[in-house]
Amino acid sequence: MRTFTPEEQQFILEHQQQDVAQLMLQASRYPKLPVQKLVQQIKARQKASTKLQTWVAHPQAVFPVALSVEQSSSEATAAYKASLLQGELLIDLTGGFGVDSFYFAKHFAQVVHVEQNTELQEVAAYNFQLLGANNIQSIHTTAEDFITKFKGKADVLYLDPARRGNHDQKLHLLQHCEPDILHLLPQLLQKANTILLKTSPMLDIEQAIQELGYVAQVWVVALQNEVKEVLYLLKPEVPAPADALRTAINLLPGAAPQLLSFSRAQEDAATPDYTDPQQFIYEPNAAILKAGAYRYLGQHLHLHKLHPNSHLYTSAQLIIDFPGRSFKCMGVSRYNKKELLKHLPGKKANITVRNFPESVADIRHKTGIKEGGHTYLFFTTDMHQKPIVLICAKA
């Protein structure tokens, strides 16, 4: 792996905020520097600036191609994931850039980082030493080859299968990812007490539980209300299929995470209470919606639902610390341009569609309502199967 001279490092640091296309046009001004390689580093650092601050902050850190940075976990999700487990030995069979391995190393005595891409493995190993993660051993091989030759037993095997096809298309089904976890699973269960699997947020949770078996717990992890990953904890002794505990977590900067845990049995047993919109309206965070706590959430927090498929909730009194967004309902309108614009002097509003036959783009086109302002419009369907618009302000 090629590291950078002090002059090259200085170039990267001085220009890491600049437009990379403009830098390439100015390459002739720096005849003694490999500007193209340095611009690749700058581009990767820019990609990493909001999610991998520890690496970006170190002037000697080396980055792989920007796509590998884009596909890596953020520090926030990696830190949360690592906090779920601890022990002597964790093996990261799909190590990549090494962000997850780095954070697992804070909770395990030893971590083995396995990566099949030569450049990526060398970059990760170099950065581990640079960042002082001396309890990580990095190995260049495939997950399949490593697990076949591994004679011991780990506390945890961690896998985040690659979800890009030969033509760079995004994949999400377990059998389409690399490695094929379903094919490898019998071997994995013999080599560890626990398996932690990270999958695409697009994968259906119930389908994954049925296909995997042995699932003891599921975490749906969102970062600032965007679902980033779904984690499955597998144990050899868990019967298949089991009613795995599901935890929806929304990580928020500078605030306590929003957390909700429930089982499938609790969701199925919950009895929703439907009503017309009351003084306050609630929209669950993305992790809860992905986890499927549609009925349990309302019963757990003593909230009413507006419709079985709308997944909006209401109450007469404000629920403090609701896991999502809370609004004060200022009124209810028909879907009528003239009627709606009476409530919008500036013709601006933030629009959300929940269980409604038209898209946000269609609504804006028909009504002329621009994006922005302090009014929030929820286009939805009520308990009487009628389309309505909730006119709200943040609570």
Side-chain angles (χ1 to χ4, degrees):
M1 185 200 76
R2 183 188 185 281
T3 56
F4 299 99
T5 67
E7 293 78 12
E8 291 168 347
Q9 288 176 11
Q10 187 66 24
F11 179 90
I12 291 170
L13 296 177
E14 286 180 356
H15 296 88
Q16 64 180 346
Q17 304 299 328
Q18 287 188 227
D19 180 81
V20 291
Q22 287 295 320
L23 272 179
M24 283 303 301
L25 292 174
Q26 298 167 9
S28 60
R29 293 170 55 186
Y30 309 96
K32 295 182 179 180
L33 295 177
V35 173
Q36 185 172 355
K37 290 185 180 298
L38 301 182
V39 165
Q40 288 176 351
Q41 285 293 302
I42 292 169
K43 186 176 180 182
R45 280 178 169 267
Q46 290 174 351
K47 285 270 186 186
S49 61
T50 57
K51 62 188 273 187
L52 301 174
Q53 293 92 338
T54 298
W55 281 256
V56 172
H58 202 297
Q60 293 174 279
V62 175
F63 289 81
V65 295
L67 179 61
S68 295
V69 174
E70 184 181 312
Q71 292 175 338
S72 72
S73 297
S74 67
E75 290 194 61
T77 59
Y80 174 75
K81 184 163 46 228
S83 73
L84 302 173
L85 301 165
Q86 61 182 358
E88 290 298 313
L89 174 62
L90 178 141
I91 301 172
D92 183 348
L93 287 168
T94 51
F97 186 45
V99 179
D100 287 328
S101 289
F102 179 80
Y103 277 92
F104 281 129
K106 298 177 184 293
H107 298 269
F108 286 81
Q110 183 184 5
V111 169
V112 177
H113 168 270
V114 178
E115 175 51 45
Q116 64 181 351
N117 180 286
T118 304
E119 180 192 1
L120 204 48
Q121 183 269 325
E122 291 178 350
V123 166
Y126 170 80
N127 287 331
F128 291 148
Q129 294 301 309
L130 201 65
L131 298 173
N134 299 316
N135 60 332
I136 303 177
Q137 178 188 9
S138 184
I139 298 176
H140 173 232
T141 188
T142 65
E144 295 89 341
D145 187 58
F146 181 92
I147 207 65
T148 299
K149 294 177 180 177
F150 178 60
K151 302 303 180 186
K153 194 159 189 176
D155 293 301
V156 179
L157 293 176
Y158 171 68
L159 296 96
D160 175 12
R163 296 186 289 276
R164 291 272 182 176
N166 294 331
H167 303 290
D168 205 33
Q169 74 273 30
K170 291 185 179 181
L171 308 172
H172 63 271
L173 295 179
L174 293 173
Q175 62 269 31
H176 292 165
C177 298
E178 185 184 349
D180 179 348
I181 183 70
L182 298 179
H183 176 74
L184 203 57
L185 191 55
Q187 275 185 283
L188 299 176
L189 292 168
Q190 293 174 3
K191 301 292 178 76
N193 302 317
T194 300
I195 298 165
L196 184 64
L197 173 67
K198 171 182 167 181
T199 73
S200 163
M202 298 297 294
L203 182 63
D204 181 76
I205 293 174
E206 301 306 323
Q207 178 184 348
I209 290 174
Q210 291 295 322
E211 290 181 346
L212 289 165
Y214 310 103
V215 179
Q217 193 162 355
V218 179
W219 291 270
V220 179
V221 184
L223 180 61
Q224 297 184 62
N225 205 34
E226 181 182 351
V227 176
K228 294 294 186 179
E229 53 196 60
V230 182
L231 305 170
Y232 297 82
L233 187 75
L234 284 68
K235 288 184 171 289
E237 68 271 17
V238 173
D243 186 9
L245 180 69
R246 293 150 169 83
T247 297
I249 178 150
N250 184 32
L251 304 172
L252 300 168
Q258 298 172 338
L259 190 73
L260 180 74
S261 295
F262 66 102
S263 68
R264 184 78 224 178
Q266 287 176 309
E267 170 65 12
D268 292 343
T271 304
D273 180 24
Y274 299 102
T275 190
D276 291 319
Q278 298 183 337
Q279 191 168 359
F280 295 95
I281 301 294
Y282 306 91
E283 181 188 33
N285 66 47
I288 288 174
L289 293 174
K290 173 62 184 177
Y294 306 126
R295 301 193 293 185
Y296 175 76
L297 176 66
Q299 182 171 288
H300 178 65
L301 296 178
H302 307 291
L303 296 170
H304 309 284
K305 286 198 78 176
L306 298 184
H307 184 278
N309 300 323
S310 294
H311 308 318
L312 290 172
Y313 302 79
T314 190
S315 69
Q317 303 296 323
L318 179 64
I319 301 294
I320 304 298
D321 296 328
F322 175 80
R325 298 196 300 172
S326 305
F327 300 88
K328 183 163 184 167
C329 186
M330 313 302 290
V332 180
S333 172
R334 294 177 300 146
Y335 180 25
N336 176 279
K337 177 179 178 179
K338 188 174 181 180
E339 187 172 337
L340 281 173
L341 292 179
K342 287 180 181 178
H343 301 275
L344 304 171
K347 294 185 179 181
K348 285 186 176 181
N350 305 280
I351 295 177
T352 298
V353 169
R354 291 277 182 209
N355 188 30
F356 198 77
E358 294 186 20
S359 69
V360 173
D362 290 336
I363 292 167
R364 290 198 185 281
H365 178 72
K366 289 184 178 180
T367 62
I369 297 172
K370 304 299 181 185
E371 187 173 357
H374 301 290
T375 301
Y376 293 78
L377 302 180
F378 286 89
F379 289 72
T380 188
T381 302
D382 68 11
M383 62 182 291
H384 311 291
Q385 309 299 327
K386 292 182 179 179
I388 58 172
V389 184
L390 306 176
I391 302 161
C392 300
K394 279 195 171 181

